[in-house]
Amino acid sequence: MFARQFRVRSNTAIKGSDRRKLKADISAAFPSLTADELTELVPNKEELNVVKIYAHKGDALTLYVLHKNPLFFELEKRLYPTVYVLWRYPALLPTFRTWPPVLQKLVGGADLMLPGVVVPSSGLPEVKRGDCCSVTLVNNRAPVAVGSAAVSSGEMRSLGMKGRGVCVLHAYMDNLWNNSTFSLNEKADTHYVLWRCDHGVTSRPLISTEIMDALLLRCFLHALKSKVKKSELPLLTSTFLRNHMFSCCPSGTQLDIKKSSYKKLSKFLQAMQKQHNLVRVRELTKGVESIVEVDWKNRELRYFKVPEETDDEASPAPDRGDGAEPPYRPPEITALYSVSSRLEPLFLDAKKRKGTILQPEEVRHIVTEYVKNNELVDENNKNYVTINPTLCDCLLEKSEYQEVESLKWDDLFSRALGRMQECYQVVYPGHAPIRKKGHMEPIDISVASRGSNKKVTLIKNLEVYGLDPAAVGTALQRRVQASSVLQPIPGSKDKVLVQIQGNQIHQVGNLLIDHYQIPRKYIQGLDKAPKGGKKK
């Protein structure tokens, strides 16, 4: 609705009676707000304006603006909170999560489609069609879009998570956001910037230089205060970045100097030396810089408060009943087989028609019963089964019709399974079983070359196993002390891959198998790990 510029029709100060009515309307629409929170949102004596506008498609809306920041907008006599309000009260609405690359589409005016919704282990929020709801990004509880549910939660599940999920009306960085004084381009509040960092913004295209600069300074101060010891000096700047600053990065964020205003570590450290007098950097060896001195009494360093719990493994937090994500549990995957048209005669006695999905044990049982009922066990050697016309048509190749008169039991079962359609069942914790044809898509790990002699490791299909790519990327970044990023997969809707510097297949395999408990048979590419586990 605000993807394009809107037109202002009128802008007037709110009257006392209208202010009271607005409070009552907000309280009725959002009963979870307390009286104090209502007063904070709609103060009794501060400037509050009613702005009537026309959206680019001609819709008439009313905005309620406090100090030039839009709080709510009214469409067809219904109130919706803005992203600005939801950042202050993130639990105000039922929330749907999606991947960071989807946000750009939402800002452009697209609705949130159900295939792009990341379903937590606790399940979808319960909503009815038309209910007001918000959208957040993975690893960031701050809502980035507001809209109404296109269908109810029950319909979403019955549709197999296909189709439209949320009709988006307003999103972060759209024209309503950009017309407020809370715009990121004008924001200079350090507390706000650090709040963004603490809550793990992982949407790479939207990280501004101001946010990355603040994150860089935060990790720098944290590393100096809690990681670096005086006995370590002089300390190579590259070692300081790799061993200390990366480990101080908040969960869900990625430290990338190239996306800061400094672009290079040397320029950042020069600024810390000249502007803040925090460190002294010297070139002890030609072309190699080291930190030779730290001003431990510096006011900025002394008053910096070290954040808590920044060294935890990047995985969902335990369920403490406070809305946090429960620990990750791998899905249960079961191999299944569907009766094919060729094998249908073999299963008719068991009343199993073409397309019936069976477990391997059921197939063995049905085949065994068929053999016994038709007295096909070889009398001379009970390890063999005599081939009758039905078994001949179902299990033998044409070249074998005149040659093969009996088969071993194991050969009989393997031929039966081999001529059936492979399927699988996957059960995510807290969800109903899902059955699909074909193979379960494995997690794919590969190594690609970047530039002359640089390698990166790419990890795909993490979402298939209910894994959060952002959390996996952060966990790897801390394990190997190398930068990682999320990138959209070309030609794939709403899927992302994790890219991390170097050949890290050995570490990726250890993380997936030991930490996330993914069976080795569902991981593809482990054979490409460098010998001895050394990085290349």
Side-chain angles (χ1 to χ4, degrees):
M1 179 156 286
F2 300 103
R4 297 182 187 177
Q5 188 60 48
F6 53 83
R7 181 165 58 90
V8 177
R9 185 175 54 161
S10 65
N11 185 348
T12 57
I14 197 169
K15 299 177 182 178
S17 58
D18 291 336
R19 190 188 295 259
R20 290 191 292 273
K21 182 179 182 302
L22 175 62
K23 265 191 175 182
D25 290 344
I26 294 172
S27 180
F30 311 103
S32 61
L33 288 172
T34 65
D36 290 340
E37 290 170 340
L38 275 173
T39 302
E40 184 183 353
L41 280 172
V42 187
N44 293 325
K45 295 183 179 181
E46 295 186 31
E47 178 188 357
L48 184 66
N49 287 54
V50 179
V51 182
K52 296 187 177 181
I53 65 170
Y54 288 117
H56 70 279
K57 289 186 177 180
D59 299 296
L61 296 93
T62 302
L63 306 180
Y64 296 95
V65 182
L66 177 68
H67 301 313
K68 299 183 180 180
N69 291 318
L71 299 178
F72 296 88
F73 61 94
E74 188 175 344
L75 175 64
E76 297 177 350
K77 298 183 179 180
R78 182 169 186 178
L79 280 174
Y80 295 88
T82 61
V83 169
Y84 169 59
V85 167
L86 290 176
W87 280 17
R88 296 166 70 181
Y89 306 102
L92 189 61
L93 299 176
T95 300
F96 293 88
R97 290 194 306 165
T98 188
W99 301 111
V102 178
L103 178 55
Q104 286 183 309
K105 298 179 183 179
L106 302 183
V107 175
D111 293 328
L112 178 63
M113 307 305 286
L114 290 174
V117 173
V118 179
V119 182
S121 55
S122 55
L124 291 169
E126 291 300 322
V127 296
K128 298 176 182 177
R129 184 194 296 263
D131 280 0
C132 188
C133 51
S134 64
V135 179
T136 64
L137 302 181
V138 168
N139 261 22
N140 183 9
R141 64 190 296 261
V144 294
V146 184
S148 59
V151 291
S152 67
S153 302
E155 289 175 296
M156 291 179 188
R157 288 187 282 265
S158 63
L159 291 170
M161 296 302 288
K162 294 180 181 179
R164 198 179 310 275
V166 178
C167 299
V168 175
L169 300 174
H170 158 52
Y172 165 70
M173 294 295 284
D174 66 8
N175 280 282
L176 178 59
W177 170 272
N178 287 331
N179 276 273
S180 74
T181 56
F182 204 68
S183 170
L184 203 64
N185 296 328
E186 300 173 18
K187 192 66 182 176
D189 186 348
T190 305
H191 172 76
Y192 161 68
V193 174
L194 293 182
W195 183 90
R196 292 273 289 165
C197 294
D198 286 340
H199 285 75
V201 177
T202 56
S203 179
R204 299 303 181 277
L206 293 173
I207 293 184
S208 69
T209 55
E210 292 95 338
I211 290 178
M212 189 54 70
D213 287 354
L215 179 60
L216 202 57
L217 177 59
R218 180 188 192 276
C219 295
F220 175 75
L221 293 172
H222 185 185
L224 286 182
K225 191 160 186 176
S226 65
K227 303 288 183 181
V228 178
K229 298 177 182 178
K230 193 172 183 179
S231 58
E232 291 183 82
L233 302 178
L235 178 65
L236 290 175
T237 56
S238 58
T239 303
F240 174 68
L241 175 67
R242 183 175 62 253
N243 293 350
H244 299 310
M245 286 185 65
F246 276 146
S247 64
C248 294
C249 193
S251 175
T253 60
Q254 303 287 346
L255 190 61
D256 192 340
I257 294 178
K258 291 181 180 179
K259 292 179 181 177
S260 70
S261 62
Y262 303 100
K263 305 301 180 185
K264 293 182 179 180
L265 177 62
S266 58
K267 289 186 177 180
F268 170 72
L269 293 174
Q270 285 173 14
M272 295 301 102
Q273 177 174 298
K274 293 178 181 178
Q275 299 171 18
H276 300 263
N277 296 316
L278 281 161
V279 294
R280 192 158 63 91
V281 179
R282 286 182 58 189
E283 193 175 290
L284 298 179
T285 308
K286 188 175 181 181
V288 181
E289 291 186 335
S290 299
I291 297 174
V292 296
E293 188 179 330
V294 176
D295 184 3
W296 308 105
K297 296 181 181 180
N298 183 283
R299 179 183 176 87
E300 194 170 0
L301 186 58
R302 282 192 296 115
Y303 284 97
F304 176 77
K305 185 179 179 181
V306 175
E308 297 178 359
E309 299 178 1
T310 55
D311 292 325
D312 293 344
E313 188 75 73
S315 59
D319 188 3
R320 301 180 299 271
D322 57 0
E325 286 292 314
Y328 170 80
R329 286 186 293 157
E332 296 178 8
I333 305 165
T334 307
L336 301 172
Y337 295 88
S338 172
V339 177
S340 61
S341 57
R342 181 175 177 178
L343 265 67
E344 189 173 18
L346 182 58
F347 290 85
L348 282 179
D349 291 347
K351 298 180 180 179
K352 305 296 182 184
R353 299 286 180 178
K354 176 186 174 182
T356 303
I357 296 177
L358 304 169
Q359 293 189 3
E361 296 78 12
E362 294 177 291
V363 175
R364 292 177 68 93
H365 176 73
I366 292 171
V367 172
T368 302
E369 288 300 310
Y370 176 85
V371 171
K372 289 181 178 180
N373 292 338
N374 288 274
E375 299 179 352
L376 298 176
V377 179
D378 193 316
E379 294 181 358
N380 299 321
N381 189 344
K382 293 187 178 181
N383 291 328
Y384 283 83
V385 175
T386 303
I387 301 299
N388 69 354
T390 300
L391 291 178
C392 179
D393 292 339
C394 293
L395 304 180
L396 298 185
E397 301 293 340
K398 287 185 179 181
S399 60
E400 297 176 319
Y401 284 178
Q402 304 300 324
E403 299 175 2
V404 179
E405 295 181 354
S406 61
L407 291 172
K408 283 187 176 181
W409 280 103
D410 288 344
D411 194 10
L412 188 75
F413 294 137
S414 62
R415 285 177 181 245
L417 292 173
R419 284 160 175 74
M420 297 179 76
Q421 169 71 53
E422 290 190 28
C423 308
Y424 67 90
Q425 174 180 284
V426 57
V427 182
Y428 297 100
H431 296 273
I434 299 172
R435 289 184 171 184
K436 293 184 179 181
K437 292 182 179 180
H439 296 277
M440 181 74 171
E441 201 173 9
I443 295 175
D444 181 68
I445 310 172
S446 59
V447 176
S449 297
R450 297 286 186 270
S452 58
N453 195 28
K454 292 183 179 179
K455 295 184 183 295
V456 294
T457 303
L458 309 176
I459 310 124
K460 302 177 185 176
N461 302 329
L462 292 168
E463 304 94 333
V464 176
Y465 295 81
L467 283 167
D468 173 5
V472 174
T474 304
L476 286 170
Q477 181 181 11
R478 293 183 177 176
R479 282 194 173 206
V480 304
Q481 300 299 316
S483 65
S484 68
V485 294
L486 299 184
Q487 292 184 347
I489 298 177
S492 179
K493 269 193 173 182
D494 305 325
K495 277 191 175 184
V496 295
L497 61 81
V498 176
Q499 175 182 301
I500 188 161
Q501 288 183 353
N503 187 335
Q504 309 293 355
I505 290 180
H506 185 72
Q507 291 287 355
V508 174
N510 288 342
L511 180 70
L512 294 175
I513 295 170
D514 299 335
H515 183 68
Y516 291 113
Q517 302 296 309
I518 302 295
R520 181 180 287 270
K521 64 181 178 180
Y522 295 116
I523 304 174
Q524 177 179 286
L526 292 176
D527 55 319
K528 299 172 187 173
K531 292 181 180 180
K534 295 180 181 179
K535 299 177 188 176
K536 286 186 179 180

